[in-house]
Amino acid sequence: MSATRFTYLGPEGTFTEAALRTLPEADTRELVPMVSVPAALDAVRNGEAAAALVPIENSVEGGVTATLDELASGEPLMIYREVLLPIAFALLVRPGTSLSDVKTVTGHPVAQPQVRNWLRANLPDAVWESAASNADGARLVQEGRFDAAFAGEFAAATYGLVPLVTEIHDAENAETRFVLVGRPARPAAPTGADKTSVVLWLGDDHPGALLELLQEFAVRGVNLMLIQSRPTGEGIGNYCFAVDAEGHISDRRVSEALMGLKRTCPQVRFLGSYPRAGVAQGDVRAPRPGTSDGDFTAASDWLTRCLDGRA
């Protein structure tokens, strides 16, 4: 395995590259752009890279389905870190282009909902066509295939373009969450401000099936931060669920919830426990009464005394 190489959703100039460069370890790695999320993750699976940074969730559009599906299938991988990056777009054009010259625009499909209102107000007649990434859209503009691309302002210099309009976003405080993914190993030690990600499969379709999964978390006081259904590919109505939960797998409330799910689900894929981005330990609310590690230990000790006749 190449321990000195990180892959990311490319080409150069994507928001993913910008997010990756916020990690201190990126300064000591070779950063290799890949044409797609599957390609970036496959490089980790086959040992060409130690880790890959890929987008997984957007505050406007929700989960990034390509990443969720890749993590749910194929050879298992594990999340080790997450990065939150504020997102604002620039309209990149070739030098000399005015707004009235823009008849065709491009960008990543996830970008379109984030600039839809701006497009309607400023370029109502422009034709949109999606690109593999925002930076790839900038490359297509450079080649003359489109008049303009929505991308990060920082991508302009890479592709010989100029930002015609900057700070474009329909939703204030829009951000995208990225995850650093590697091969499975022992999770990092808990920090007190952690997140655990899993993918769950329903055993069979019956009333209350999803509720039964959620109750494994609820009765142990585990707060869910994300739950998203994804088709399994086995026919209409067959779904798995990507779940992010507060806490670390070493926390008793989390580990016991996962054990409960493992007993009842035909398949549970553990995607990792890792530090939450932008959250300090002091900002995390205390566990609900009865759900701390000490509470679980006290209950276990009481049960032991009962079995020993010492209750």
Side-chain angles (χ1 to χ4, degrees):
M1 177 183 296
S2 175
T4 62
R5 181 177 298 149
F6 283 176
T7 56
Y8 65 91
L9 175 62
E12 294 181 9
T14 58
F15 285 109
T16 310
E17 181 188 11
L20 178 55
R21 291 189 180 279
T22 67
L23 298 179
E25 53 264 51
D27 293 337
T28 60
R29 303 294 196 278
E30 177 189 3
L31 307 184
V32 181
M34 306 298 284
V35 298
S36 65
V37 168
L41 296 178
D42 282 344
V44 179
R45 288 185 170 112
N46 62 31
E48 295 177 10
L53 193 84
V54 291
I56 195 169
E57 183 185 4
N58 178 268
S59 62
V60 176
E61 276 293 277
V64 178
T65 56
T67 300
L68 293 172
D69 291 346
E70 277 295 309
L71 293 177
S73 61
E75 185 180 344
L77 295 169
M78 206 161 100
I79 299 171
Y80 289 92
R81 294 191 61 172
E82 67 176 8
V83 178
L84 294 178
L85 187 73
I87 301 296
F89 294 91
L91 188 69
L92 304 186
V93 298
R94 293 182 295 277
T97 301
S98 66
L99 198 61
S100 61
D101 297 326
V102 177
K103 308 301 181 186
T104 57
V105 296
T106 187
H108 192 274
V110 174
Q112 188 178 19
Q114 301 179 66
V115 299
R116 185 183 291 124
N117 293 337
W118 188 94
L119 268 174
R120 186 182 299 117
N122 297 276
L123 293 170
D125 299 321
V127 177
W128 171 284
E129 186 172 329
S130 293
S133 69
N134 297 311
D136 192 55
R139 178 185 63 81
L140 296 174
V141 172
Q142 180 189 45
E143 295 176 355
R145 295 170 60 180
F146 294 93
D147 298 324
F150 287 99
E153 185 177 355
F154 48 79
T158 301
Y159 295 97
L161 305 177
V162 294
L164 186 61
V165 185
T166 61
E167 292 298 317
I168 301 172
H169 44 70
D170 290 348
E172 293 290 336
N173 303 316
E175 58 185 2
T176 295
R177 182 167 70 101
F178 301 84
V179 288
L180 187 68
V181 179
R183 295 177 68 86
R186 183 184 295 274
T191 66
D194 301 291
K195 178 184 294 184
T196 294
S197 297
V198 293
V199 182
L200 310 170
W201 279 257
L202 289 177
D204 60 88
D205 186 15
H206 63 271
L210 178 57
L211 177 60
E212 291 169 6
L213 298 186
L214 299 180
Q215 284 178 329
E216 296 288 350
F217 294 105
V219 298
R220 296 173 176 89
V222 178
N223 185 47
L224 298 187
M225 308 176 71
L226 176 146
I227 178 167
Q228 179 158 336
S229 63
R230 294 298 303 148
T232 63
E234 298 174 353
I236 296 294
N238 290 293
Y239 294 93
C240 61
F241 296 87
V243 174
D244 287 347
E246 283 186 346
H248 193 277
I249 192 172
S250 64
D251 297 334
R252 288 287 295 272
R253 62 187 181 279
V254 177
S255 62
E256 294 211 5
L258 296 184
M259 285 192 291
L261 292 163
K262 183 62 178 175
R263 290 197 309 269
T264 57
C265 295
Q267 186 178 352
V268 176
R269 176 168 284 198
F270 174 63
L271 296 181
S273 290
Y274 48 93
R276 291 170 57 188
V279 178
Q281 182 176 353
D283 297 331
V284 178
R285 58 189 154 192
R288 287 172 49 200
T291 66
S292 70
D293 279 8
D295 293 325
F296 277 96
T297 299
S300 178
D301 291 344
W302 172 83
L303 181 60
T304 299
R305 292 196 303 274
C306 289
L307 293 171
D308 289 345
R310 296 182 289 114

